């Protein structure tokens, strides 16, 4: 059967149109399914942990690193496998943060920076948080009591230092003195006084 030039032209045009349409559909579908979800639209998955209790004495003893420094920006989320006490494997999320050392109390005394692992993180699908645990803030000074992995011993051992150089320790990490004994609240201390107390425990 002979097909006229006009019919061939129409057939070729229709075929090209169908191929183009299929390509557009595929591209649109792919971009929609792979659209980056904004942080505020992602579900927040909260973990609840039973942290060990620490006060300034045993925190000073158990910490591998005690450092007063300034937090840099939160790094990209990293995932590692951890084990429950029953041996079950689960995934933990954290973000590395470079800490500019102001004063190293325990650990690598020559270090100019150390890496702190901020708990929680964000993936393509969700945001992972620990109940009651705030992320460190870039540019904020902190006093850290860290374990061998670079995470805090418990949330009370990551202490923000205010711009005026004072620190308000969480209740368990307070310094015992006459004023504190008379108060039902944790009192502010100068960072110098608090570090001096840490040094006493180290000595």
């Amino acid at each position: 059967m002979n097909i006229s030039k006009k019919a061939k032209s129409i057939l070729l045009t229709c075929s090209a149109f169908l191929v183009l349409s299929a390509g557009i559909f595929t591209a649109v579908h792919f971009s929609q399914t792979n659209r980056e979800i904004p942080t505020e639209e992602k579900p927040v998955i909260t973990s609840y942990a039973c942290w060990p209790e620490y006060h300034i004495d045993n925190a000073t003893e158990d910490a591998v690193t005690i450092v007063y420094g300034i937090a840099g920006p939160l790094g990209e989320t990293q995932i590692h496998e951890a084990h429950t006490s029953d041996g079950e494997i689960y995934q933990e999320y954290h973000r590395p943060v470079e800490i500019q050392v102001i004063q190293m109390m325990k650990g690598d005394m020559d270090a100019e920076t150390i890496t702190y692992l901020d708990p929680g993180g964000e993936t393509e699908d969700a945001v992972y948080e620990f109940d009651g645990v705030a992320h460190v803030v870039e540019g904020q000074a902190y006093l850290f009591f860290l374990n061998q992995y670079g995470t805090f011993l418990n949330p009370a051992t990551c202490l923000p230092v205010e711009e005026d150089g004072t620190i308000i320790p969480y209740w368990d990490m307070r310094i015992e003195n006459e004023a504190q004994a008379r108060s039902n609240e944790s009192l502010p201390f100068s960072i110098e006084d608090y570090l001096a107390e840490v040094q006493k425990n180290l000595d």
Side-chain angles (χ1 to χ4, degrees), residues 1 13 29 45 58 73 77 86 99 134 144 155 166 177 179 196 202:
M1 181 177 67
T13 303
H29 179 71
I45 299 172
N58 65 347
T77 298
D86 298 329
I99 306 299
F144 296 95
T166 59
N177 60 19
L202 287 170

Side-chain angles (χ1 to χ4, degrees), residues 10 12 31 45 60 71 78 99-100 138 143 172 182 200:
I10 291 171
L12 286 173
S31 65
I45 299 172
T60 301
Q78 298 178 357
I99 306 299
Q100 188 71 41
E138 182 179 0
L143 175 62
D172 290 340
R182 294 196 305 266
K200 270 200 275 183

Side-chain angles (χ1 to χ4, degrees), residues 4-16:
S4 68
K5 286 185 179 180
K6 187 174 181 181
K8 283 182 181 179
S9 177
I10 291 171
L11 282 172
L12 286 173
T13 303
C14 290
S15 298

Side-chain angles (χ1 to χ4, degrees), residues 60-77:
T60 301
E61 182 180 350
D62 288 358
V64 172
T65 301
I66 303 174
V67 61
Y68 169 36
I70 298 174
L74 290 168
E76 293 295 319
T77 298

